[in-house]
Amino acid sequence: MSETARPAGRVDTNMAHPARRYNYWLGGKDNFAADRASGDQVAAVFPTVRRAARENRAFLQRAVGFLAREAGIRQFLDIGTGLPTVDNTHDVAQRIAPQSRIVYVDNDPLVMAHARALLTSSAEGASVYIERDLRDPGSILEAPELHATLDLRQPVGLTLLAILHFVRDFEDPYGVVARLVDAMPSGSYVVMSHGTYDGVPAETVTKLEEANAASGGLSRPRSRTEFTRFLDGLELVEPGVVPIGDWRPSPGTRPPEPADICMYGAVARIP
């Protein structure tokens, strides 16, 4: 990455960041007081938030496994990487196909520092990390590191896991996704998960919105209809748009109650 293209790279420890707050919910240590305070505010109102974070990670593992094993995808663009944990996108993909190539994208310098240090690719494949913001899809698509790693003439698995609810309405979330999807060749796939208030009691929504406002209005949960709009024109993979625990759960497991997770997920093919 050139110095002119590199973001400022300053870690603001006084403001909660989605990736660090998620790390806190997963039991990680790579977070600051502001992240923990914000995470605790949400957990006080929504006690199952930590399970929701774990279920989102499990959905990623199942969906990437499907793309690598059943759809034959060998290259992935993972936007909103988050801090490293077990079974990241390249771990799952390269376990199935060691030659898989992955580009990780996040806008938090702390995430990028940890990713570069801890996420080690297979010898046959590649894992590359670029510091960019989802809200500026052009900067992602124009990154030299992306084009040095992925061949955009061949199908790509684009993953947007628990990230789009941090793109608020005035930041044109649908336009952001359309720009990314339009850059992917036919036969590519999109994996998405997204927070929702569907099924949540009104009094709980009010408290969650108070906690959200206290942390700077980080998130914008969306309804099933609003989430499905991101996938307009794409070919949904069965079972379609469902609570993430219901997307091809592992045999013998009991999916969680949707109201305990409050997140939709889907996998769709780009025709």
Side-chain angles (χ1 to χ4, degrees):
M1 185 187 302
S2 70
E3 290 303 315
T4 56
R6 186 183 297 277
R10 188 175 75 87
V11 177
D12 186 351
T13 63
N14 296 314
M15 289 290 294
H17 187 280
R20 300 194 303 263
R21 188 173 66 175
Y22 188 75
N23 173 264
Y24 174 58
W25 286 331
L26 287 172
K29 305 297 183 185
D30 299 308
N31 46 73
F32 300 105
D35 308 306
R36 296 189 289 273
S38 176
D40 288 343
Q41 281 184 303
V42 175
V45 182
F46 183 46
T48 56
V49 68
R50 290 177 174 86
R51 184 175 183 188
R54 294 194 299 271
E55 288 291 337
N56 186 65
R57 174 62 47 162
F59 170 64
L60 177 151
Q61 293 159 1
R62 297 195 304 274
V64 170
F66 162 79
L67 294 189
R69 186 178 294 109
E70 299 182 42
I73 298 297
R74 296 294 179 261
Q75 45 183 10
F76 295 82
L77 176 56
D78 182 329
I79 303 178
T81 301
L83 283 149
T85 181
V86 295
D87 270 358
N88 302 280
T89 297
H90 79 281
D91 295 313
V92 177
Q94 292 179 349
R95 193 157 53 235
I96 296 165
Q99 71 273 31
S100 297
R101 306 174 71 82
I102 295 88
V103 171
Y104 287 109
V105 181
D106 205 284
N107 69 347
D108 185 349
L110 184 66
V111 168
M112 289 291 95
H114 281 262
R116 292 186 180 105
L118 299 175
L119 301 186
T120 305
S121 172
S122 67
E124 301 92 331
S127 293
V128 173
Y129 317 96
I130 58 176
E131 192 178 324
R132 296 288 193 278
D133 195 306
L134 170 62
R135 290 164 292 194
D136 184 5
S139 72
I140 297 172
L141 295 170
E142 294 163 7
E145 299 91 337
L146 184 148
H147 293 279
T149 308
L150 305 183
D151 179 358
L152 295 188
R153 298 169 297 180
Q154 301 297 322
V156 174
L158 170 63
T159 66
L160 296 161
L161 277 297
I163 184 66
L164 283 165
H165 49 246
F166 298 115
V167 183
R168 291 160 291 184
D169 292 342
F170 70 88
E171 295 169 315
D172 191 22
Y174 297 104
V176 165
V177 172
R179 177 79 185 276
L180 292 167
V181 168
D182 287 348
M184 300 296 112
S186 176
S188 295
Y189 285 80
V190 180
V191 179
M192 290 187 195
S193 64
H194 196 296
T196 185
Y197 286 149
D198 287 359
V200 178
E203 61 270 24
T204 302
V205 171
T206 298
K207 293 177 181 177
L208 283 169
E209 279 300 290
E210 290 172 354
N212 187 37
S215 61
L218 281 176
S219 65
R220 164 54 166 100
R222 293 183 171 91
S223 68
R224 187 181 190 279
T225 298
E226 290 174 312
F227 173 63
T228 303
R229 182 182 162 194
F230 285 112
L231 304 163
D232 283 354
L234 307 184
E235 300 169 354
L236 283 168
V237 173
E238 290 295 329
V241 174
V242 293
I244 53 175
D246 293 333
W247 198 91
R248 303 194 177 197
S250 301
T253 62
R254 180 180 179 181
E257 291 296 321
D260 288 341
I261 307 303
C262 294
M263 193 171 295
Y264 288 116
V267 177
R269 183 180 181 275
I270 300 173

